[in-house]
Amino acid sequence: MTIKPKALKAIHTATVSAGSVAAVPIPFSDAALLVPIQMMMISSIYKAYGLTFTDGIKEGVTQATLASTIGKMLVGNAFKFIPGIGSVAGGVLNVTVAASITRMIGMRVAKALDKGELETNNDLLELIATVSNVSSVLKKK
């Protein structure tokens, strides 16, 4: 199994972009920007594999990633309200979470497409839900 170079480039670009957006010290500014970054990444991965990312898929993925992203970012954003150290701690936490989740979603989607495992829209939504659950478990450790 080899992930296509264009898919890897999309994943790396989105990961860096997600981390950069999450580093902004303004509370809650990142959640609204992360979903489009993740959507563009998934769309680019689909294109790298010669597949079409339809509007129906976009709607489902937007809902799945939005719920996950907002939930994960709440803790880090709460820290940003504390002047000085809170902004730094919240920023570091948000950068780590945003970049990690974005990369995990991208790698899982690319690997699944490479193996031919995403046969329906529901398969993609389940994969994103699985990534969200895995990241929750990793955060608790």
Side-chain angles (χ1 to χ4, degrees), residues 1-133:
M1 172 186 73
T2 303
I3 296 174
K4 296 193 180 239
K6 285 185 179 181
L8 282 174
K9 182 177 178 180
I11 294 166
H12 296 311
T13 302
T15 300
V16 171
S17 297
S20 299
V21 165
V24 174
I26 302 167
F28 303 105
S29 63
D30 44 5
L33 298 174
L34 288 174
V35 173
I37 289 169
Q38 293 168 345
M39 292 293 295
M40 287 300 299
M41 174 187 67
I42 295 170
S43 178
S44 296
I45 294 169
Y46 265 67
K47 286 178 187 174
Y49 283 90
L51 301 170
T52 304
F53 194 64
T54 65
D55 289 339
I57 297 173
K58 288 177 188 174
E59 288 178 31
V61 171
T62 299
Q63 292 172 2
T65 56
L66 184 62
S68 171
T69 300
I70 289 174
K72 304 288 184 283
M73 303 307 283
L74 283 177
V75 174
N77 278 300
F79 277 112
K80 289 182 181 179
F81 283 110
I82 304 168
I85 191 72
S87 293
V88 173
V92 170
L93 180 62
N94 277 352
V95 167
T96 303
V97 171
S100 297
I101 289 174
T102 301
R103 180 168 167 69
M104 286 171 54
I105 289 171
M107 293 301 287
R108 291 289 304 273
V109 168
K111 287 178 183 178
L113 287 174
D114 195 59
K115 292 180 181 178
E117 295 175 348
L118 295 181
E119 297 175 9
T120 68
N121 296 351
N122 286 337
D123 292 340
L124 178 60
L125 298 179
E126 287 177 26
L127 182 138
I128 291 171
T130 302
V131 170
S132 297
N133 290 337

